[in-house]
Amino acid sequence: MLVKQKVVVVGNGMVGHHLVEQLQAQSDNTEVTVLSAEPRLAYDRVHLSEFFSGKTADDLSMTNPEQYEAWGVDFRTNAKVVNIDKVNKQVVTETGEVFSYDKLVLATGSYPFVPPIPGKDRDHCLVYRTIDDLHAISKSAETSKVGVVIGGGLLGLEAANALKELGLETHVVEFAPQLMGVQVDAGGGAVLRNKIEELGVQVHTSKATNVIEDGEQCRYKLCFSDDTVLETDLILFSAGIRPYDNLAREFDLEIGERGGITINNQCQTSDANIYAIGECALWNNFIFGLVAPGYAMAKVAAKHICGEMDSFTGADMSTKLKLMGVEVGSIGDAHGKTPGSLAYTYDDQPEGVYKKIVVSSDKTKLLGAVLVGDTSNYDSLLQYMLNGIELPESPESLILPSVDGAVTLGASALPDTATICSCLNVTKKDIVDAVDQGCTELAQVKSCTKASTGCGGCAALLKDVFENELETRGVEVKKDICEHFAYSRKELFDLIKVEQIKTFDELIEKHGQGLGCEICKPTTASILASIYNDYILEKLHLPLQDSNDNFLANLQKDGTYSVVPRIAGGEITPDKLIVIGEVAKKYNLYTKITGGQRIDMFGARVEQLPPIWQELIDAGFETGHAYGKSVRTVKSCVGQTWCRFGVQDSLDMALEVENRYKGIRSPHKLKFAVSGCTRECAEAQSKDIGIIATENGWNLYVCGNGGMRPRHADLFATDLDSETLIKYIDRILVFYIKTADRLQRTSVWMESLEGGLDYLKQVVIDDSLNICEEMEAQMAALVGRYQCEWKTTLEDPIAMQRFKSFVNSDESDDNIVFVEEREQIRPVREEERIAIVVEP
């Protein structure tokens, strides 16, 4: 029997977790133990600030105990390592537990540097690094009105955003003359400062804090070296990080002069059986403070542990991010320190856009760039720099707007080594290899390579590379909906709307061929319903519907149907509950309360559907559209009316939302939720449209879903008033209905948009396409034409003729057989059927 190699990983941050993933993927011959000093497993530290806009610690988590158990990974939390015995290859935790290893990996990360300012240890003087830090900041903010961040770098501005989200008057104090001095130059820093100050954050540069003393108006005051002061209740230190290398120091591993555990190209320390990766590691006298290099180290170390040779040869430190809504990009030699380098600068002060590229002395190579206010050029510029691609004759065309003949960098121009996803270090060749392995859809490539699953900034480039590769192989990147129409769903939508086409026959006569199929017919039916919201069982539309829409009910596996009345927001009166109970009892239906806060009734024969619905409609119910690709449910909590934590009336909002959008047809089913506070009892962040109450209004989340490929929704806008919230939802839904592909969920649709969430914000919030007024009008028309399809059906004698088990008989289908279980019916199982049927 093969003895597995014991690997102990100390630290379970993002990099430590990535190492575990790599070991899991590369070998089943390792026995992995993870020791985390924190009380929880790995979480997304890059998006910590989203904690203050509604995300929870669970939302930020990158794994969970179940996942590690499934991988066979032994793990401990609250397990701080205090001893390394290199001779016997053992580590010991604070609680005395001993773990043996063949290979030890130190992924201990870094800690925040707090300048030695007198008074720094007082209460409400905090750091911004872990989830525990976030809880401490939130608690302090409850009794504070003013907050100061000491440090105007990348993390400092993240921390300032957190204080702003908490509603504090926010200041940033920076020792240097400008913000983000590492990443951007003086020009970019000036534009960044203006934009940050426009957002209400006060910036103080060239300020050295001498001491923190008691304040007069606030809790404390910062006394600066220029004899000025700044009063504040809360202080956040974000003045840089230091490698967490204490274990290496204590147990005699080689350390750099200024700290950091020295590693070679295979990430081995001075002890060949001990590796160090991430922000605790010093490679070539350099510490990398970004997650992407840490991931690269994890990959190299995992391979080496598994017996493969790979090398870490440094990493690009280019960065693209959005700070408080301000786009910032920094590439390569942003400060133009390369001897002989030249620079082109574009400065649009009215629009707050600053761009600079640094080029070689012969103007043929890009060395670096700074982008503030608009990072749309970032991907192309990064590829020019990383791959040494020769610049066009006029390099300035890369950053100047609206220049005739502006040069664009296509996917075909990129070499195989081009890094497409910096977070996960996915190259163009990796994507090509995925296509070689049979990936023919973008989602498959993402799943296979993990590209665009980090920050997501490379989504547009990934799509370009993937489609270019298919075209190179002669695979037509077709968006035809089927063989009968050489158009995508979006194109069909436009044709139907512009030409006012009202029937499938008219559409196929003008723009298609043949008789149609099970793909184009229901799609056309959905489009017609989305535009005109007509009764779907009209004679002309009836042949287009699929089986569920045909009978306004969900067909079940035994041939019966389900009955699902709408229970808006989950609110129901006792009288209506009694009616549902009486109906279910009368027709002997199985009943179940769903996760969407309504009651399903199963086991109805087709001829029973009309009388059942007649009784429900007489009692005031409407169809719940459970059979259609349409708006289904709006889940809610009870909000501030009943809950002591609620800050808004979430139930009232849920009712408004469900009653506004009920019955609207869409490319896929839609689910909403409204939570009355950030405790998130309605689970809004797993819905297509999620709404979470804040003290200042509503936070809007978009494009989440459960199902086979669950996805958390993205925060779209914060602190909206109710009118703006509804207006944004109107626009998002119409844009989705109009542009999404057939059966494309909102999550996949957003990923397919070039620019993703940012682009959607531009369309919906900034009206970048100048279509918001039209989208609102379209939604108003849809809402105005709502009808309960079952009520209309019961009033139509012709439509009623179809609700029979047999065309030529009024008899029931005796193949439908039930048995009783837990005092309710259920369909008979196949092995039970013979015995029951023959029984007299």
Side-chain angles (χ1 to χ4, degrees), residues 135-153:
H135 287 300
I137 293 167
S138 295
K139 186 175 180 182
S140 174
E142 291 173 0
T143 57
S144 302
K145 292 183 178 178
V146 182
V148 168
V149 176
I150 296 183

Side-chain angles (χ1 to χ4, degrees), residues 326-519:
V326 182
E327 295 181 5
V328 180
S330 174
I331 295 174
D333 183 8
H335 293 275
K337 293 180 179 178
T338 305
S341 62
L342 303 170
Y344 297 86
T345 304
Y346 169 72
D347 190 357
D348 181 351
Q349 293 185 8
E351 293 295 326
V353 174
Y354 176 87
K355 299 182 180 184
K356 183 180 83 171
I357 55 173
V358 180
V359 303
S360 59
S361 57
D362 60 0
K363 298 188 289 186
T364 61
K365 302 296 181 194
L366 184 75
L367 303 176
V370 176
L371 305 169
V372 178
D374 176 11
T375 56
S376 57
N377 311 94
Y378 179 87
D379 288 343
S380 290
L381 294 174
L382 182 64
Q383 295 303 327
Y384 272 109
M385 193 275 290
L386 287 179
N387 301 294
I389 298 171
E390 188 163 335
L391 289 170
E393 187 174 351
S394 301
E396 67 274 19
S397 65
L398 295 173
I399 55 172
L400 292 177
S402 305
V403 174
D404 290 339
V407 177
T408 57
L409 185 62
S412 60
L414 298 176
D416 285 349
T417 55
T419 300
I420 305 303
C421 173
S422 299
C423 293
L424 280 303
N425 194 29
V426 181
T427 65
K428 179 181 176 181
K429 185 175 185 306
D430 293 329
I431 295 166
V432 173
D433 289 345
V435 175
D436 283 339
Q437 293 165 20
C439 295
T440 56
E441 295 181 8
L442 189 58
Q444 292 174 326
V445 173
K446 286 184 179 181
S447 176
C448 179
T449 64
K450 303 297 183 188
S452 194
T453 60
C455 73
C458 64
L461 183 59
L462 172 65
K463 183 171 182 286
D464 284 348
V465 171
F466 171 64
E467 292 187 349
N468 177 72
E469 183 59 24
L470 290 183
E471 289 171 353
T472 301
R473 297 170 185 230
V475 178
E476 185 181 357
V477 184
K478 295 176 65 177
K479 296 181 174 59
D480 299 359
I481 194 165
C482 69
E483 61 183 354
H484 303 103
F485 290 98
Y487 300 100
S488 66
R489 181 190 180 277
K490 178 183 181 305
E491 290 167 332
L492 284 181
F493 189 105
D494 291 339
L495 288 170
I496 291 172
K497 184 168 178 57
V498 171
E499 299 183 12
Q500 291 289 295
I501 294 173
K502 297 293 182 65
T503 68
F504 179 79
D505 290 345
E506 185 183 355
L507 178 68
I508 203 165
E509 181 181 347
K510 286 186 174 179
H511 301 289
Q513 59 180 358
L515 301 175
C517 64
E518 70 279 5
I519 294 176

Side-chain angles (χ1 to χ4, degrees), residues 164-402:
K164 188 167 174 290
E165 291 278 355
L166 288 167
L168 272 61
E169 176 187 316
T170 304
H171 299 257
V172 173
V173 173
E174 169 59 42
F175 178 76
Q178 69 164 88
L179 298 174
M180 287 187 68
V182 175
Q183 290 87 5
V184 303
D185 63 351
V191 173
L192 178 61
R193 174 175 183 156
N194 289 339
K195 283 186 163 289
I196 297 292
E197 288 183 331
E198 284 174 3
L199 296 170
V201 174
Q202 299 176 51
V203 178
H204 311 265
T205 54
S206 300
K207 291 286 187 182
T209 307
N210 282 347
V211 64
I212 298 168
E213 297 180 344
D214 288 342
E216 296 171 9
Q217 306 299 322
C218 297
R219 190 174 286 132
Y220 303 127
K221 65 180 176 184
L222 304 177
C223 301
F224 300 125
S225 58
D226 59 2
D227 295 330
T228 59
V229 299
L230 176 62
E231 297 229 355
T232 181
D233 297 306
L234 186 161
I235 298 170
L236 272 187
F237 290 103
S238 183
I241 57 171
R242 297 290 184 270
Y244 220 127
D245 55 12
N246 56 321
L247 280 174
R249 289 177 184 274
E250 198 170 342
F251 299 100
D252 202 25
L253 295 173
E254 186 177 331
I255 298 291
E257 288 183 7
R258 300 179 62 184
I261 307 167
T262 305
I263 60 171
N264 63 16
N265 289 357
Q266 283 69 51
C267 300
Q268 291 169 294
T269 67
S270 52
D271 183 321
N273 292 314
I274 302 178
Y275 297 73
I277 56 175
E279 293 175 354
C280 67
L282 182 74
W283 177 86
N284 201 22
N285 210 28
F286 195 90
I287 288 178
F288 296 87
L290 298 175
V291 71
Y295 280 0
M297 289 182 191
K299 192 172 181 180
V300 168
K303 280 189 174 182
H304 199 254
I305 289 170
C306 295
E308 292 184 46
M309 180 55 74
D310 198 357
S311 296
F312 179 77
T313 55
D316 173 54
M317 295 294 282
S318 300
T319 307
K320 182 176 77 167
L321 65 161
K322 184 175 282 190
L323 297 165
M324 288 185 268
V326 182
E327 295 181 5
V328 180
S330 174
I331 295 174
D333 183 8
H335 293 275
K337 293 180 179 178
T338 305
S341 62
L342 303 170
Y344 297 86
T345 304
Y346 169 72
D347 190 357
D348 181 351
Q349 293 185 8
E351 293 295 326
V353 174
Y354 176 87
K355 299 182 180 184
K356 183 180 83 171
I357 55 173
V358 180
V359 303
S360 59
S361 57
D362 60 0
K363 298 188 289 186
T364 61
K365 302 296 181 194
L366 184 75
L367 303 176
V370 176
L371 305 169
V372 178
D374 176 11
T375 56
S376 57
N377 311 94
Y378 179 87
D379 288 343
S380 290
L381 294 174
L382 182 64
Q383 295 303 327
Y384 272 109
M385 193 275 290
L386 287 179
N387 301 294
I389 298 171
E390 188 163 335
L391 289 170
E393 187 174 351
S394 301
E396 67 274 19
S397 65
L398 295 173
I399 55 172
L400 292 177
S402 305

Side-chain angles (χ1 to χ4, degrees), residues 25 36 48-49 148 180 205 227 232 250 268 290 344 376 394 403 418 582-583 609 653 674 726 747 779 824 836:
S36 171
L48 270 187
S49 62
V148 168
M180 287 187 68
T205 54
D227 295 330
T232 181
E250 198 170 342
Q268 291 169 294
L290 298 175
Y344 297 86
S376 57
S394 301
V403 174
E582 289 176 337
V583 167
L609 290 173
M653 177 56 72
V674 185
I726 297 298
S747 56
M779 180 55 74
Q824 293 208 82
I836 291 173

